[in-house]
């Protein structure tokens, strides 16, 4: 089997996912994903797509992720893994789509506007 390459994004995080047949090792930025992500919640997010499709331990996953925070990176990885699994076996789509793993979350940080403190917050108004 050849290596499957997909991309997952969330906020400003971009994850490039490489999926190949193996023993189930997940590597993020040349480190084990349990070393890279410290909390159990993030470990769960990274593993979610494999658990839903019952493919845990069948594929080696290598990820290069940049930008954003750790939570956004974990969700970007989840999207990338989900897309890669669908590319390998289109039948997985029926399991992943209802869970929302194939949907790119479009919510981004609103830009700061000039003459304002933040995106929506204004400087304090002085009447006199």
């Amino acid at each position: 089997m050849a290596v499957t390459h997909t991309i997952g994004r969330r906020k400003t995080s971009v994850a490039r996912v490489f999926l190949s047949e193996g023993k189930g090792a997940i590597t993020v930025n040349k480190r084990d994903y349990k070393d890279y992500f410290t909390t159990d919640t993030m470990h769960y997010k990274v593993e979610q797509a494999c658990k839903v499709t019952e493919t845990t331990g069948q594929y080696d996953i290598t990820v290069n992720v940049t930008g954003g925070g750790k939570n956004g990176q974990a969700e970007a990885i989840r999207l990338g893994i989900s897309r890669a699994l669908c590319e390998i076996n289109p039948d997985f789509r029926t399991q992943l789509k209802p869970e929302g793993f194939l949907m790119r979350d479009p919510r981004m940080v609103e830009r700061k506007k000039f003459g304002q403190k933040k995106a929506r917050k204004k400087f304090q108004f002085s009447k006199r």
Side-chain angles (χ1 to χ4, degrees):
M1 181 190 133
V3 177
T4 306
H5 173 247
T6 55
I7 291 175
R9 292 187 182 93
R10 172 77 173 98
K11 292 188 177 179
T12 55
S13 302
V14 180
R16 295 192 344 250
V17 178
F18 302 91
L19 202 109
S20 59
E21 278 191 31
K23 293 188 165 64
I26 302 174
T27 311
V28 178
N29 291 351
K30 298 179 183 173
R31 290 162 55 190
D32 185 54
Y33 80 106
K34 292 200 176 187
D35 294 335
Y36 190 80
F37 295 112
T38 52
T39 62
D40 292 332
T41 309
M42 291 184 198
H43 297 171
Y44 176 71
K45 281 183 183 179
V46 171
E47 298 164 352
Q48 256 181 325
C50 292
K51 284 184 179 175
V52 169
T53 55
E54 296 169 7
T55 56
T56 308
Q58 292 180 20
Y59 300 106
D60 281 344
I61 302 167
T62 307
V63 182
N64 295 330
V65 65
T66 56
K70 296 281 186 181
N71 193 58
Q73 288 183 350
E75 292 184 17
I77 291 168
R78 180 176 67 189
L79 176 62
I81 292 170
S82 300
R83 285 178 173 173
L85 288 169
C86 284
E87 214 169 283
I88 288 169
N89 186 354
D91 297 336
F92 289 148
R93 188 170 177 82
T94 56
Q95 296 170 338
L96 294 168
K97 191 147 174 63
E99 299 290 330
F101 296 159
L102 295 174
M103 194 176 88
R104 158 68 160 103
D105 194 343
R107 293 177 295 173
M108 299 281 278
V109 176
E110 193 174 334
R111 76 181 266 302
K112 182 198 172 295
K113 280 79 170 188
F114 58 89
Q116 296 182 12
K117 203 174 185 90
K118 292 182 355 188
R120 306 250 174 139
K121 190 175 183 178
K122 314 284 193 282
F123 291 114
Q124 187 172 347
F125 177 72
S126 174
K127 200 165 191 176
R128 281 173 200 86

